[in-house]
């Protein structure tokens, strides 16, 4: 596949959007000319529109005109119109497309000959061969056509049979329409057609200005404090969290010492040996626990091999899935969707995938050699960029930023050990690594999971050994640490108000830790996943996901997804079972997916009740 940088891909999409808005711009020009009183110019403009050979850049209209000329045996008009298109559009394409344009020209000429044979117009075939026979006779695939005039039933001959079928003409129309739709955005369009690009650039500048204002107010300034025991930076990440507000669903009562009262499904820890903490203010509310219910489930047979990776796009409209045969598919679970559907057989092994949160048509693939591939899902163009740290070649996790086109990657020095870990920040727009830092070692860790806050300024990295690093996601400096003393941690997420962390283990243990006081355990509970009875029911990072509102956690211990409320650890609902074990899950705003080792994908829609 051709390589295209994100910036070039963004221009192509902007040009395409401008061309699709051509009628709107024509109306603006009419309104402007009337406003200025340029009536004669308006009349000339309307006259030119009536004779518009570009058909308003509608690919289907141009293709229908070409096919109509061929079927009506208007050879001179067909060839003259094709020469116009070649000069007007095809000459601006890359030289690699010359073969494609020649192929379509040949197919249109053969459609002309087939139409003449069907109509019994042998004199038209004779005239065509008299004009072009000598030239075409030099090409081996044209030699059988030289005798078409003398064959009584050409549709019965094996060399012509396919061309006389209606399916061939239909496929020609579809292929030529697709080709024309890719030609127009490749043109150098006038600035007036890039109005949408200008609008999006203004919105991006406004977002940057808003972030800058937040910085000036100190809302995103990270403050680190040294712990009293000298163990390193711990604790206050005040810039990422607002006033301390804790839902009574988690802490219905607090003493002046800041201890949580006992809750259902929650075990209170003994903090008698710890120093007293400052009290946390509680705002009374009658808000009930979130309960999610499955409203619909569909199964999709997109793959012929076990699926190892699957992710929703930022909008939830598309799914990217990758299987053990290196087949990558991009598809929409909604049958009425007009989103593109792609299938790519890759020549490299993918270890992680992530969608761009801002440019939702961009998909990032991390391969086993340390390269990031950027796939434009609208043009199916693929770019390749080196990103890895040679001392830390093994990817542990990859997270996209919601505030910019950057990726946070966590890599280790050894595949089965996370004792030596480095964090890298990769800028997709610039296609380069903008920051990297080696993290403190955790000797017993065999994996790392991570989470980002809403504006991608704070990253929480949880080692499987229970050690958690809070990292400034811009400078990659460690600003706080938490030692949970847990084992086999497989998932971490920030709470909805982002003043605490939710940590899950392979056995289903669920804990919540304060970001304001890093050593304070707020709650502890257990998800009923049957891990003690069934050894293969233990979780891993690919089979745990949090809902976007962070009220619920979805776990897939075996062959079905279980939905739990985080505060109460109660089971809300579950999906139907797969025939094989689930390999990966993901959750979007109103739906979740589970991909199995048998190649099937289940997509379940859920709602809050």
């Amino acid at each position: 596949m051709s390589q295209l940088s994100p910036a070039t891909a963004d221009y192509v999409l902007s040009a395409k959007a401008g061309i699709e808005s051509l009628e709107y711009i024509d109306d603006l020009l009419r309104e402007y000319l009337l406003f200025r009183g340029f009536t004669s110019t308006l009349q000339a403009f309307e006259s030119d529109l009536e004779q518009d050979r570009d058909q308003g850049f509608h690919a289907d209209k141009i293709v229908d005109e070409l096919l109509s000329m061929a079927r009506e045996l208007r050879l001179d008009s067909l060839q003259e119109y094709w020469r116009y298109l070649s000069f007007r559009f095809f000459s601006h394409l890359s030289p690699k497309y010359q073969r494609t344009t020649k192929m379509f020209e040949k197919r249109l000429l053969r459609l002309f000959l087939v139409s003449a044979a069907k109509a019994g117009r042998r004199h038209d075939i004779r005239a065509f061969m008299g004009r072009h026979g000598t030239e075409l006779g030099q090409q081996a695939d044209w030699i059988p056509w030289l005798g078409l005039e003398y064959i009584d039933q050409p549709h019965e001959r094996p060399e012509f049979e396919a061309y006389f079928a209606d399916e061939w003409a239909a496929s020609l129309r579809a292929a030529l329409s697709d080709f024309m739709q890719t030609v127009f955005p490749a043109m150098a369009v006038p600035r007036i057609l890039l109005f949408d690009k200008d609008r999006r650039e203004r919105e991006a500048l406004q977002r940057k200005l808003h972030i800058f204002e937040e910085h000036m107010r100190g809302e995103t300034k990270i403050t680190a404090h040294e712990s009293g025991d000298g163990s390193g930076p711990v604790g206050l990440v005040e810039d990422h969290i607002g006033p301390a507000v804790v839902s009574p669903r988690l802490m219905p009562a607090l003493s002046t010492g800041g201890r949580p009262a006992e809750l259902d499904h929650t075990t209170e820890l003994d903090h008698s040996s710890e120093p007293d903490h400052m009290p946390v203010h509680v705002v009374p509310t009658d808000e009930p626990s979130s309960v999610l219910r499955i409203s619909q489930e569909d199964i999709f047979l997109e793959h012929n091999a076990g699926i190892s990776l699957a992710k929703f796009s930022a909008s939830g409209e598309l799914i990217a899935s990758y299987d053990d045969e290196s087949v990558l598919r991009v598809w929409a679970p909604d049958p009425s969707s007009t989103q593109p559907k792609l299938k790519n057989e890759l020549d490299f092994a993918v270890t992680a995938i992530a969608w761009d949160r801002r440019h939702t048509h961009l998909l990032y693939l991390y391969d086993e050699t340390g390269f990031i591939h950027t796939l434009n899902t609208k043009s199916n163009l693929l770019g390749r960029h080196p990103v890895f740290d040679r001392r830390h070649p093994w990817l542990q996790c990859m997270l996209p930023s919601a505030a910019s086109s950057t990726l946070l990657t966590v890599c280790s020095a050894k595949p089965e050990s996370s004792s030596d870990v480095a964090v890298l920040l990769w800028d997709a727009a610039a296609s380069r690594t903008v920051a990297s830092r080696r993290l403190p070692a955790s000797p017993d860790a065999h994996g790392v999971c991570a989470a980002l806050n809403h504006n991608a300024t704070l990253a929480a990295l949880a080692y499987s050994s229970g050690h958690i690093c809070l990292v400034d996601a811009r400078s990659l400096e460690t600003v706080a640490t938490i030692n949970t003393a847990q084992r086999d941690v497989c998932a971490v997420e920030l709470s909805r108000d982002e003043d605490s962390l939710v940590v899950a283990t392979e056995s289903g243990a669920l804990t919540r830790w304060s970001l304001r006081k890093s050593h304070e355990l707020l709650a502890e509970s257990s998800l009923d996943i049957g891990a003690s009875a069934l050894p293969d029911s233990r979780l891993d990072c690919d089979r745990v996901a949090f809902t976007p509102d962070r009220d619920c956690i979805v776990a897939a211990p075996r062959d079905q997804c279980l939905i739990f409320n985080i505060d109460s650890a109660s089971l809300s609902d579950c999906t139907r079972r797969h025939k094989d074990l689930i390999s990966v899950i993901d959750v979007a705003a109103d739906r979740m997916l589970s991909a199995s080792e048998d190649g099937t994908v289940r997509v379940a829609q859920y709602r809050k009740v």
Side-chain angles (χ1 to χ4, degrees), residues 73 106-130 133 136 141-164 168:
L73 306 181
K106 178 170 64 176
R107 291 183 178 180
L108 287 170
L109 294 177
R110 290 183 177 179
L111 178 61
F112 167 84
L113 294 174
V114 168
S115 300
K118 287 181 177 180
R121 302 275 292 271
R122 297 197 177 194
H123 61 281
D124 287 318
I125 300 177
R126 186 182 309 114
F128 176 88
M129 292 302 176
L136 297 178
D141 60 334
W142 273 103
I143 292 178
W145 293 83
L146 300 178
L148 181 64
E149 174 189 355
Y150 309 102
I151 301 176
D152 291 333
Q153 302 292 333
H155 63 278
E156 296 179 354
R157 298 288 294 269
E159 60 267 37
F160 302 118
E161 181 180 3
Y163 295 97
F164 282 83
W168 179 79

Side-chain angles (χ1 to χ4, degrees), residues 313-442:
S313 62
S315 64
E317 296 181 22
L318 289 176
I319 294 175
S321 50
Y322 175 80
D323 65 26
D324 295 338
E325 294 180 350
S326 295
V327 174
L328 173 71
R329 287 184 177 272
V330 178
W331 50 284
D334 185 354
S336 62
S337 174
T338 59
Q339 294 288 340
K341 187 173 184 179
L342 305 178
K343 177 185 177 182
N344 292 316
E345 297 181 3
L346 305 178
D347 57 0
F348 54 88
V350 179
T351 59
I353 59 177
W355 288 90
D356 194 299
R357 300 289 299 277
R358 297 180 64 198
H359 304 285
T360 56
H361 60 284
L362 296 181
L363 176 67
Y364 302 114
L365 315 174
Y366 193 103
D367 70 19
E368 61 183 0
T369 61
F371 284 81
I372 286 183
H373 304 255
T374 304
L375 176 64
N376 185 323
T377 59
K378 291 190 175 180
S379 61
N380 202 26
L381 298 177
L382 194 67
R384 181 171 180 262
H385 315 281
V387 68
F388 74 104
D389 180 350
R390 295 185 181 276
R391 293 171 297 180
H392 302 85
W394 303 99
L395 182 72
Q396 294 290 330
C397 58
M398 179 170 70
L399 298 175
S401 167
S404 62
S405 292
T406 56
L407 291 174
L408 184 78
T409 63
V410 182
C411 304
S412 61
K414 298 180 180 180
E416 301 298 332
S417 173
S418 301
S419 59
D420 186 5
V421 169
V423 184
L424 293 86
L425 195 63
W426 187 73
D427 186 344
S431 300
R432 65 185 181 91
T433 300
V434 294
S436 63
R437 189 174 294 272
R438 186 175 177 180
L439 293 185
S442 181

Side-chain angles (χ1 to χ4, degrees), residues 465-513:
S465 58
H467 179 75
I468 297 177
C469 283
L470 300 178
V471 176
D472 182 340
R474 297 158 298 183
S475 65
L476 301 185
E477 294 182 357
T478 300
V479 297
T481 60
I482 303 174
N483 186 11
T484 67
Q486 291 182 295
R487 293 297 179 214
D488 299 327
V489 171
C490 65
V492 64
E493 184 59 273
L494 285 91
S495 62
R496 174 190 283 187
D497 51 15
E498 297 189 348
D499 66 352
S500 61
L501 281 178
V502 179
V503 179
T505 68
E506 296 177 6
S507 61
L510 200 64
T511 54
R512 180 175 292 200
W513 301 83

Side-chain angles (χ1 to χ4, degrees), residues 25-212:
I25 297 177
D26 289 344
D27 289 338
L28 291 180
L29 289 175
R30 291 188 183 95
E31 183 179 341
Y32 174 76
L33 293 175
L34 284 174
F35 174 74
R36 295 296 304 274
F38 298 155
T39 54
S40 59
T41 305
L42 177 60
Q43 291 175 358
F45 179 62
E46 295 289 359
S47 176
D48 287 341
L49 286 179
E50 292 176 0
Q51 305 174 30
D52 182 18
R53 304 189 71 181
D54 298 337
Q55 302 290 344
F57 295 96
H58 291 293
D60 291 339
K61 292 183 178 180
I62 292 177
V63 172
D64 288 341
E65 183 71 14
L66 289 169
L67 298 182
S68 176
M69 291 175 178
R71 291 187 174 117
E72 295 172 5
L73 306 181
R74 293 183 285 149
L75 180 61
D76 291 338
S77 299
L78 174 64
Q79 292 181 311
E80 195 278 330
Y81 193 32
W82 186 260
R83 283 193 295 270
Y84 168 79
L85 294 176
S86 298
F87 176 78
R88 179 82 167 88
F89 302 116
F90 306 153
S91 61
H92 300 287
L93 297 176
S94 171
K96 66 183 179 180
Y97 290 105
Q98 291 181 359
R99 183 177 178 182
T100 304
T101 57
K102 291 291 185 183
M103 176 195 69
F104 282 120
E105 181 182 13
K106 178 170 64 176
R107 291 183 178 180
L108 287 170
L109 294 177
R110 290 183 177 179
L111 178 61
F112 167 84
L113 294 174
V114 168
S115 300
K118 287 181 177 180
R121 302 275 292 271
R122 297 197 177 194
H123 61 281
D124 287 318
I125 300 177
R126 186 182 309 114
F128 176 88
M129 292 302 176
R131 185 187 304 180
H132 303 289
T134 303
E135 177 187 354
L136 297 178
Q138 306 300 317
Q139 304 174 34
D141 60 334
W142 273 103
I143 292 178
W145 293 83
L146 300 178
L148 181 64
E149 174 189 355
Y150 309 102
I151 301 176
D152 291 333
Q153 302 292 333
H155 63 278
E156 296 179 354
R157 298 288 294 269
E159 60 267 37
F160 302 118
E161 181 180 3
Y163 295 97
F164 282 83
D166 294 338
E167 292 79 6
W168 179 79
S171 65
L172 172 59
R173 185 186 187 284
L176 189 53
S177 295
D178 290 341
F179 175 66
M180 293 300 300
Q181 288 172 355
T182 62
V183 167
F184 296 146
M187 299 173 55
V189 298
R191 287 180 296 171
I192 193 172
L193 290 182
L194 297 178
F195 72 96
D196 188 58
K197 178 176 181 291
D198 294 337
R199 176 186 62 80
R200 290 189 289 110
E201 288 179 348
R202 287 196 301 271
E203 290 179 350
L205 289 175
Q206 290 174 353
R207 286 192 294 268
K208 290 181 180 179
L209 179 61
H210 178 67
I211 294 174
F212 178 74

Side-chain angles (χ1 to χ4, degrees), residues 396-605:
Q396 294 290 330
C397 58
M398 179 170 70
L399 298 175
S401 167
S404 62
S405 292
T406 56
L407 291 174
L408 184 78
T409 63
V410 182
C411 304
S412 61
K414 298 180 180 180
E416 301 298 332
S417 173
S418 301
S419 59
D420 186 5
V421 169
V423 184
L424 293 86
L425 195 63
W426 187 73
D427 186 344
S431 300
R432 65 185 181 91
T433 300
V434 294
S436 63
R437 189 174 294 272
R438 186 175 177 180
L439 293 185
S442 181
D444 300 331
H446 58 79
V448 179
C449 53
L452 284 170
N453 70 336
H454 74 284
N455 59 356
T457 57
L458 178 69
L461 278 64
Y463 293 81
S464 61
S465 58
H467 179 75
I468 297 177
C469 283
L470 300 178
V471 176
D472 182 340
R474 297 158 298 183
S475 65
L476 301 185
E477 294 182 357
T478 300
V479 297
T481 60
I482 303 174
N483 186 11
T484 67
Q486 291 182 295
R487 293 297 179 214
D488 299 327
V489 171
C490 65
V492 64
E493 184 59 273
L494 285 91
S495 62
R496 174 190 283 187
D497 51 15
E498 297 189 348
D499 66 352
S500 61
L501 281 178
V502 179
V503 179
T505 68
E506 296 177 6
S507 61
L510 200 64
T511 54
R512 180 175 292 200
W513 301 83
S514 172
L515 286 180
R516 298 181 179 275
K517 310 242 169 87
S518 297
H519 288 194
E520 184 177 0
L521 177 65
L522 300 179
E524 183 178 25
S525 55
S526 179
L527 306 178
D528 185 10
I529 61 172
S532 58
L534 300 170
D536 58 351
S537 293
R538 295 178 68 84
L539 303 174
D540 58 40
C541 60
D542 292 326
R543 294 183 292 155
V544 177
F546 294 83
T547 55
D549 61 10
R550 303 171 189 174
D551 280 343
C552 295
I553 182 173
V554 181
R558 288 179 55 80
D559 53 3
Q560 69 176 154
C561 291
L562 308 176
I563 307 173
F564 297 91
N565 176 268
I566 291 179
D567 290 346
S568 65
S570 59
L571 180 65
S572 297
D573 207 344
C574 58
T575 63
R576 296 191 185 98
R577 296 183 182 274
H578 285 265
K579 292 183 178 180
D580 209 334
L581 295 178
I582 292 176
S583 53
V584 62
I585 66 174
D586 195 28
V587 181
D590 61 350
R591 60 186 65 180
M592 66 184 69
L593 70 82
S594 55
S596 172
E597 295 178 0
D598 62 4
T600 61
V601 179
R602 284 190 180 275
V603 178
Q605 295 185 3

